[in-house]
């Protein structure tokens, strides 16, 4: 039985060199892209999506926020997040609150992302920090020798000048468009932001929110029902950081490892939402 159509996204303009396109031909990447497509098609084709897609989207957002927070050190049970209403306290509650805000905000920024990815990244950091923070480092890339609070990402930290240059390069690539599959683009955005850690805090949360924006905005997952954050968390922090080291190495093998890891994350997110569909169909959720 036919499910909900995802439609097609406008073809992006492609000018000059396309540095992302060759990544699609790395060993194993085509298989990862194909597996992701099949997993996403499966959940979009589920019969429950025809009448209850809004519920699936809302549940996927909650589970995405839980997964992203877990990777940033706040590994809470889903029911605890449902129960809590106050996330203003420091430490883990604040991390969970930031993840919830970012997941909600990401869907509102698709049109801006197509025009200015850097503006969106600044906005995401502002949202993660709580919006009202008086710290003038919030919402802008770090400068000089400003510190970074991201203890779970153990990679060499690029200096501010390198960060500025690479952010500008990433923005140019995104604005030019690419023939690369959405999974490849999303993985590069995610990996680059984690490798750079451009902000003083919340870089992991921002990177995963940016990956979400690419997956949704590309048309691969327009209803945001295949939360990669769930899959990243399910694979575990150790595998996540190991795959990230592969990305940071810049080698073909390392890049392929990271893209495949991100692909598996989307597959697991799709599987999670398929399970939610099944539960709704049985009347158990």
């Amino acid at each position: 039985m036919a499910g909900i159509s995802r439609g097609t996204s406008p073809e992006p303009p492609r000018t000059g060199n396309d540095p992302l396109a060759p990544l699609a031909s790395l060993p194993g990447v085509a298989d990862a892209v194909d597996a992701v497509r099949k997993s996403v098609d499966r959940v979009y084709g589920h019969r429950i999506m025809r009448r209850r897609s809004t519920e699936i989207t809302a549940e996927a957002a909650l589970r995405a926020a839980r997964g992203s927070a877990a990777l940033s050190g706040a590994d809470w049970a889903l029911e605890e997040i449902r129960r809590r209403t106050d996330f203003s306290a420091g430490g883990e509650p604040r991390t969970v609150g930031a993840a919830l805000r970012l997941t909600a905000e990401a869907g509102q920024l698709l049109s801006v992302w197509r025009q200015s990815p850097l503006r969106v990244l600044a906005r995401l950091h502002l949202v993660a920090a709580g919006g009202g923070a008086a710290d003038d480092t919030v919402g802008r890339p770090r400068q000089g020798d400003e510190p970074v609070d991201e203890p779970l990402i153990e990679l060499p930290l690029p200096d501010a000048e390198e960060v500025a240059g690479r952010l500008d390069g990433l923005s140019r690539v995104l604005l030019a468009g690419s023939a690369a599959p959405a999974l490849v683009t999303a993985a590069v955005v995610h990996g680059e932001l984690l490798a750079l850690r451009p902000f003083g805090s919340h870089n992991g949360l921002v990177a995963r929110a940016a990956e979400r924006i690419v997956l949704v905005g590309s048309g691969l997952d327009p209803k945001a029902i295949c939360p990669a954050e769930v899959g990243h968390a399910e694979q575990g922090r150790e595998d996540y950081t190991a795959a990230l080291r592969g990305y940071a190495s810049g080698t073909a093998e390392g890049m392929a490892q990271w893209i495949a890891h991100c692909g598996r994350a989307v597959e697991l997110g799709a599987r999670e939402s398929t399970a939610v569909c099944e539960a709704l169909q049985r009347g158990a959720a």
Side-chain angles (χ1 to χ4, degrees), residues 8-281:
T8 58
S9 295
E11 189 72 11
R14 296 180 184 126
T15 58
N17 187 38
D18 184 353
L20 301 186
L23 300 178
S25 63
L26 292 176
V29 171
D31 289 340
V33 169
D34 185 55
V36 164
R37 173 63 64 181
K38 289 177 179 177
S39 296
V40 173
D41 285 347
R42 190 175 302 118
V43 66
Y44 271 88
H46 197 286
R47 60 186 301 175
I48 207 73
M49 283 292 293
R50 289 180 298 151
R51 52 192 174 87
R52 303 183 73 173
S53 63
T54 301
E55 293 174 67
I56 306 301
T57 295
E59 184 65 20
L62 183 67
R63 295 176 185 227
R66 194 215 74 81
S68 191
L71 289 168
S72 286
D75 192 359
W76 288 17
L78 192 61
E79 292 310 314
E80 175 68 7
I81 298 176
R82 292 190 204 278
R83 183 185 67 81
R84 291 284 287 266
T85 57
D86 181 11
F87 298 98
S88 61
E92 291 189 5
R94 182 166 294 177
T95 298
V96 174
L100 289 166
R101 291 191 301 273
L102 282 174
T103 303
E105 185 77 8
Q108 311 302 314
L109 297 172
L110 297 176
S111 62
V112 183
W113 178 265
R114 295 184 184 106
Q115 299 171 18
S116 178
L118 298 185
R119 279 181 56 199
V120 171
L121 293 177
R123 173 63 184 169
L124 290 174
H125 188 244
L126 185 66
V127 168
D135 187 345
D136 65 2
T137 67
V138 172
R140 65 158 174 80
R142 53 191 170 85
Q143 301 172 358
D145 58 356
E146 290 174 350
V148 173
D149 180 17
E150 204 74 39
L152 301 178
I153 304 298
E154 298 178 352
L155 291 172
L157 188 67
D159 63 30
E161 183 176 357
E162 181 179 350
V163 167
R166 285 172 63 175
L167 280 179
D168 181 68
L170 178 64
S171 177
R172 289 175 181 272
V173 167
L174 293 171
L175 291 173
S178 174
L183 172 64
V184 172
T185 303
V188 168
V189 168
H190 185 170
E192 189 71 357
L193 292 175
L194 280 178
L196 293 178
R197 282 146 292 163
F199 302 108
S201 62
H202 305 299
N203 289 287
L205 295 174
V206 168
R208 290 184 287 275
E211 178 188 48
R212 180 181 186 83
I213 289 172
V214 174
L215 293 171
V216 173
S218 67
L220 176 65
D221 180 23
K223 291 184 177 291
I225 59 170
C226 303
E229 300 94 330
V230 168
H232 287 303
E234 187 171 333
Q235 292 179 89
R237 191 181 302 157
E238 184 175 333
D239 284 356
Y240 183 68
T241 55
L244 177 61
R245 287 194 295 272
Y247 175 87
S249 74
T251 65
E253 181 182 5
M255 294 292 291
Q257 177 190 9
W258 172 249
I259 294 168
H261 181 91
C262 291
R264 181 59 178 158
V266 178
E267 287 185 70
L268 292 170
R271 187 181 71 177
E272 184 93 349
S273 287
T274 300
V276 172
C277 287
E278 294 292 333
L280 287 171
Q281 187 168 285

